[in-house]
Amino acid sequence: QVQLVESGGGLVQPGGSLRLSCAASGTIFSINTMGWYRQAPGKERELVARITSAGSTNYADSVKGRFTISRENAKNMVYLQMNGLKSEDTALYYCNYRSIRSANVYWGQGTQVTVSL
């Protein structure tokens, strides 16, 4: 089992920044991928960014150049630095963990990001 706890969401004005954090605990395999997904009201959950334990990253086209994902393997932490936030970034952001060593995929409870004047 893996537990994921997100933090760092909030209300921010357009153009502002936020940094999301996700702490993973439990049975963490050294080879894994952690990522951030988001879901806006009435829309499907979508990938924002993900990072492997080796440091390879993938980003959604909509956030490239504005968001940066990073991680600290020793602390089982993953971060999402979000700059240049837009109203369309408003969503519930979820942390995700998966490993080739397990068939299970784990999700956090989500942290709300609202971009508004």
Side-chain angles (χ1 to χ4, degrees):
Q1 292 291 324
V2 175
Q3 294 77 43
L4 302 171
V5 178
E6 304 100 334
S7 61
L11 174 64
V12 64
Q13 293 185 354
S17 298
L18 282 176
R19 188 192 194 212
L20 305 184
S21 300
C22 174
S25 61
T27 304
I28 307 295
F29 292 110
S30 58
I31 300 175
N32 62 70
T33 297
M34 295 186 72
W36 291 95
Y37 289 70
R38 67 187 181 187
Q39 187 167 19
K43 295 188 177 181
E44 294 186 355
R45 191 174 297 188
E46 63 176 2
L47 172 69
V48 177
R50 59 189 172 202
I51 183 168
T52 69
S53 46
S56 296
T57 59
N58 290 99
Y59 293 91
D61 287 343
S62 59
V63 307
K64 284 181 180 176
R66 299 188 297 124
F67 292 9
T68 303
I69 191 170
S70 60
R71 62 186 294 166
E72 291 186 82
N73 290 337
K75 296 182 179 180
N76 293 324
M77 295 287 297
V78 65
Y79 308 98
L80 185 68
Q81 178 66 43
M82 305 185 293
N83 299 328
L85 282 161
K86 305 175 181 180
S87 58
E88 50 263 45
D89 295 317
T90 295
L92 191 58
Y93 283 70
Y94 295 92
C95 183
N96 170 275
Y97 166 95
R98 65 186 68 201
S99 173
I100 58 172
R101 299 294 182 89
S102 170
N104 297 322
V105 178
Y106 297 93
W107 297 91
Q109 291 297 309
T111 185
Q112 179 67 39
V113 172
T114 302
V115 184
S116 179
L117 291 171

